[in-house]
Every structure is written in structure tokens, then in C-alpha cells.
Amino acid sequence: MSQAIYYINQNSSALIGSIPEQAINIPIGDVLNKETLLTSLAKVGSFPSYFSHNWDSAWDCLTDSDIKYLKIYVNEVEKINTEDFNVFKRIVEDAYNDFGKPQLWIIVASND
């Protein structure tokens, strides 16, 4: 695999099985926004105490970490701030382009 972000349909067991076992789940509750993304990412990534809960600091900590694979389930999120989610995805893409990590799997609801 040679891209930063993959979209996986929740009902596709073959595709779900393609997510690396080492992928760290970023838990999101009912609302996906900057606050929930950064808080969850910092927790699962064991970011250092100097993490400033902003996008620049997230990029710094991601690229300094050993995290290679992330996954996020958005199939049951009730409200997504698309602007914040797009910024997060750009951070992942930029980090991947510069350092070859991390890769992100986004699990989405089926269109059925």
C-alpha cells in the first residue's frame, strides 16, 4: 500500500481485514471535531506533556512518534465537523508524504 488514507466500507470484511493489526484506533464518540480528534489522538498516541492540542502540535507529535497505522470509525458518528476532519486528514497526508507514516484507515457506513 502506498497512500496515506484509505476508506473502508464497514460491511466489507475483506477490506476490513486489510487494516494492519497494529493500527491504533482513534475512538470518537457522537461528535467528530477538532477537540475530540486531538484529545483522542493524544491519548492513544501517548503524546508528550508538551502537546498543545492544536494542529501544528499534532503534526509534530505524529511525526515524532512511532505510530505507523491509525484507524477511525466514522460509521456511527452523529455529527462530523467536515472542516476539522479535512484538516486532520491533510495532517496525516503531509506527515505520510514527508515521513512515510502514518497511514489512516477511515471506516465508513455502507450506502445500502
Side-chain angles (χ1 to χ4, degrees):
M1 296 190 175
S2 61
Q3 64 188 48
I5 299 175
Y6 297 89
Y7 291 88
I8 304 289
N9 183 303
Q10 70 178 359
N11 293 329
S12 177
S13 59
L15 292 176
I16 292 287
S18 70
I19 300 171
E21 288 183 27
Q22 310 92 323
I24 298 170
N25 184 47
I26 303 170
I28 299 294
D30 295 336
V31 177
L32 187 154
N33 59 25
K34 180 180 180 179
E35 180 181 337
T36 59
L37 278 168
L38 292 178
T39 299
S40 293
L41 183 62
K43 184 175 181 178
V44 300
S46 301
F47 284 1
S49 61
Y50 60 80
F51 176 62
S52 302
H53 287 273
N54 62 52
W55 297 124
D56 289 337
S57 188
W59 187 90
D60 290 340
C61 289
L62 263 179
T63 57
D64 287 344
S65 76
D66 292 332
I67 297 171
K68 294 182 182 179
Y69 311 109
L70 295 166
K71 62 183 171 183
I72 187 167
Y73 291 83
V74 296
N75 49 337
E76 295 183 11
V77 175
E78 292 180 17
K79 183 178 179 187
I80 296 176
N81 180 314
T82 54
E83 183 178 336
D84 290 346
F85 195 37
N86 287 336
V87 170
F88 173 69
K89 291 185 287 185
R90 279 194 302 272
I91 287 170
V92 170
E93 287 175 338
D94 288 347
Y96 181 80
N97 288 336
D98 289 349
F99 294 92
K101 66 178 182 116
Q103 290 179 301
L104 172 65
W105 280 261
I106 300 170
I107 296 83
V108 298
S110 67
N111 293 331
D112 298 342

